[in-house]
Each structure stands twice: as structure tokens, then as C-alpha cells.
Amino acid sequence: MGNVITDEEAMQRALDQAELAALAGEVPVGAVVTRGGCIIAVARNAPITHHDPSAHAEILALRAAGQLLGNYRLPDCELFVTLEPCAMCAGAMLNARLQRVVFAAFDPKTGAAGSVVNLFASRQLNHHTCVQGGLLASSSTVLLQSFFGQRRSQKREQSQGLCSRNEEQDKPDKPDKPDKPDTIVALRPTNWR
């Protein structure tokens, strides 16, 4: 077997994946699954890339680990993720029977390991996973804040560009411009209810 890594090293690998997600335009979240102190799976957020709302880093890492081990149960495994899991991911972790989950930054909007709800603390469930939050939280928080700050700046710039284009269209000396701005319409197929 390979070298046994520390929790900090595993989380740093997850942060590396989060940075790759950000470069791909995805929310910067990365995940690593370990077994016996060795990394067996890594993944990063990819819902936009895969056109799949379930393609969170944690889900993709669990899928890869399950494929590698040939089992959907991962009782001897630990998952390290850069952001507190959402309800979907927490449910998948509980179903995988993970031994432990370690996350970096807390998520006050969708966190399901204590920030909004705590699925891991539910005594009604038949499996209980040990959860630890806050490992290398500042590194993850900086990455997330930088990503969303850049995204907000881009939206402001696009909005300002749209405003100046609309002002140009309103000028009467340009008759070749349409009277109203382009509109994007999403059509619903007729067989939808």
C-alpha cells in the first residue's frame, strides 16, 4: 500500500481539486476518499460541465471509490471535502456507510452537517458517521470568496455593458437598431404538465 497521509494532506488534495473546479467555471469544491490512510478517489464539482445537478464533488468521489472497491458500501473509508456537505451529499455519505467525514468550510446556506440541518446527528437513521468540520477552513473560505467575488464582478460588468447597449439603442439617430432588446424565451414542450 502507498504512503499513509495525514488529515491535512488529504484536505490539501481536496483543495487542489477545488482549484481545478474553479478553473473550469464550477463552484470550487473538491473531495477525496481515503481508505487506510491512502487516497483511493478524488473529484471536483462538475454539475455545469456534466449537465447534472448531482455531480457534486462528494458524489463523484463516492462513485469513483465504489467503482474501485466494487461495492456501494464504504465502511472503512473517510471522505474529505472542502465545503460542508449539502443534504443530497450527506444522504449519499450516510448510505455509503462512511466511517468519517471531514470538511473544511461551513456552509451557512445549505450545510447539512450542522449549519442549516444536521443529518449526521439524526438518531432515527440506522447508520451514524463521525463528522468533523473546520479543517483548513480558512483556505477553503478564501477560495470560495474569491470565486464568488469574481463571479459578482463579471455580472456587474455584463450588466453595465447591457445598460450602455440599451442606451445606444434608445438613441433616435440609429434607426437600424430594433425598438426592443433581444429576448430569450424558454419553450416548454407540449407534453409537459
Side-chain angles (χ1 to χ4, degrees), residues 144-157:
L144 287 159
Q145 288 175 342
S146 172
F147 176 81
F148 285 113
Q150 288 174 353
R151 198 177 251 189
R152 282 189 296 275
S153 293
Q154 289 171 346
K155 284 185 179 184
R156 269 193 303 275
E157 289 170 10

Side-chain angles (χ1 to χ4, degrees), residues 64-128:
Q67 289 293 315
L68 178 72
L69 299 176
N71 197 339
Y72 71 107
R73 301 278 196 221
L74 306 170
D76 300 328
C77 296
E78 299 178 331
L79 187 139
F80 295 80
V81 62
T82 59
L83 183 63
E84 180 180 1
C86 69
M88 173 184 70
C89 293
M93 292 170 194
L94 288 164
N95 283 322
R97 307 289 198 261
L98 290 173
Q99 181 179 1
R100 184 169 72 127
V101 172
V102 180
F103 66 89
F106 288 84
D107 185 349
K109 293 185 179 183
T110 63
S115 290
V116 177
V117 296
N118 193 346
L119 294 180
F120 296 98
S122 178
R123 292 293 154 216
Q124 295 87 351
L125 298 176
N126 64 343
H127 176 75
H128 300 100

Side-chain angles (χ1 to χ4, degrees), residues 47 52-57 59-60 63 88-89:
D52 177 0
S54 70
H56 289 196
I59 300 292
L60 297 176
R63 287 177 184 161
M88 173 184 70
C89 293

